[in-house]
Amino acid sequence: MRDHITDGYTALTEKEKQTLRLIVRGHDAKSTARHLGLSVHTINERLRDARRKLAVSSSREAARLLLEREGAAPYSVGDKQIGEALLGEAVGQQSSPENGGGAKRPAWIIAGVALMSLILALAAIASMPQAMQAPADNTSSATARTAEVEAAARQFLMLIDQGKWEESYALTTASFQKLNTSKVWAEVSEQARPPLGALVSRTMISHDDVPTPPHGYEVVKFRTTFANKANAIEKVSLEREGNGWRVAGVTIE
């Protein structure tokens, strides 16, 4: 890597790196600010300073250079991330939102690109009985959607629990597979998942629609206990692809 890139990386603050890691995951300044509990102005200042230090004009390019640099100097075992450029090692680490106070870090980050489109269609109301029926229909639709997304997330996590890396890779999005080979996925998964031990319990605690550009994605969160780690939080990001839901990223904290 060029010397000025190395110097620029060294000059980056941890907060600037944290912001760039979110940018490469598909966030823009607005959604990054919301994720970290900060103002858009603060995020734009961080991105501006990062671009200046790395001598690039694009925040996406700055994020790409960060991933390349961290791929050459991976974090310690337990802080894993797959990003761009088909990295053979874990390459990233993301802090918790700053307004949370502590510096709690995820134990395992598998980052993909979230590109799931959510379109809400509103039918014309022709009569009062139809209007009264709509809320019940919407609730039923939302419940069915949550069940469908949860089932897809559980199927993916079950394959990871069983060490079936190729099968779980097959359930990821096209954009994720474009950034990561099955070999990279298997290597990082083998380092990150087995140390947690066997699954003891897994309970879904939330399902959110995250409106990040360009189309948003669904995030299902589980409270999970493993043999070697109690009360872990698993977050699976999914997007609609074809006739089903595919995984864009997973985090275990």
Side-chain angles (χ1 to χ4, degrees):
M1 184 170 290
R2 298 185 300 274
D3 288 342
H4 81 273
I5 297 298
T6 300
D7 293 341
Y9 172 82
T10 303
L12 290 174
T13 67
E14 184 57 36
K15 292 179 179 180
E16 289 163 357
K17 293 176 185 177
Q18 173 193 56
T19 303
L20 290 176
R21 290 175 191 131
L22 288 174
I23 292 297
V24 83
R25 293 181 64 187
H27 290 264
D28 65 359
K30 184 176 180 180
S31 63
T32 297
R34 182 167 54 247
H35 183 83
L36 296 177
L38 301 172
S39 70
V40 175
H41 176 71
T42 297
I43 296 303
N44 282 330
E45 283 190 339
R46 288 187 185 180
L47 293 174
R48 181 196 62 203
D49 291 341
R51 292 194 301 268
R52 175 178 55 77
K53 292 173 182 178
L54 293 172
V56 296
S57 59
S58 164
S59 295
R60 297 288 179 189
E61 177 67 7
R64 183 185 68 80
L65 292 176
L66 175 70
L67 283 174
E68 287 184 355
R69 180 62 179 80
E70 292 185 337
Y75 285 91
S76 60
V77 174
D79 293 334
K80 314 277 185 205
Q81 176 173 312
I82 296 178
E84 291 186 344
L86 305 181
L87 305 179
E89 293 281 350
V91 301
Q93 187 175 39
Q94 176 185 331
S95 298
S96 300
E98 294 183 4
N99 59 358
K104 180 181 179 182
R105 296 180 181 276
W108 179 25
I109 303 177
I110 306 297
V113 181
L115 302 172
M116 194 278 298
S117 176
L118 175 62
I119 302 175
L120 298 178
L122 298 179
I125 300 176
S127 64
M128 181 61 70
Q130 290 176 321
M132 294 175 64
Q133 184 64 33
D137 292 342
N138 290 340
T139 299
S140 177
S141 177
T143 300
R145 183 188 185 90
T146 295
E148 185 179 359
V149 173
E150 179 186 357
R154 284 185 178 277
Q155 180 183 8
F156 177 78
L157 293 174
M158 179 186 68
L159 292 173
I160 294 178
D161 293 335
Q162 297 171 355
K164 296 182 177 180
W165 315 133
E166 290 188 10
E167 290 90 335
S168 61
Y169 180 80
L171 298 184
T172 59
T173 61
S175 55
F176 181 92
Q177 293 178 13
K178 183 178 179 180
L179 294 173
N180 309 285
T181 65
S182 59
K183 183 174 183 291
V184 169
W185 168 254
E187 289 175 348
V188 175
S189 297
E190 185 65 38
Q191 294 178 46
R193 177 58 183 86
L196 296 175
L199 172 70
V200 177
S201 64
R202 175 176 288 129
T203 303
M204 190 183 84
I205 56 177
S206 69
H207 168 216
D208 299 303
D209 167 32
V210 181
T212 56
H215 305 299
Y217 55 98
E218 305 282 321
V219 176
V220 184
K221 183 186 297 184
F222 299 92
R223 186 177 302 281
T224 306
T225 295
F226 300 100
N228 300 327
K229 182 177 178 64
N231 295 319
I233 298 296
E234 297 177 297
K235 298 178 184 177
V236 183
S237 303
L238 306 97
E239 65 170 286
R240 189 78 179 182
E241 197 169 88
N243 295 323
W245 293 94
R246 288 185 171 270
V247 174
V250 58
T251 301
I252 300 181
E253 300 176 355

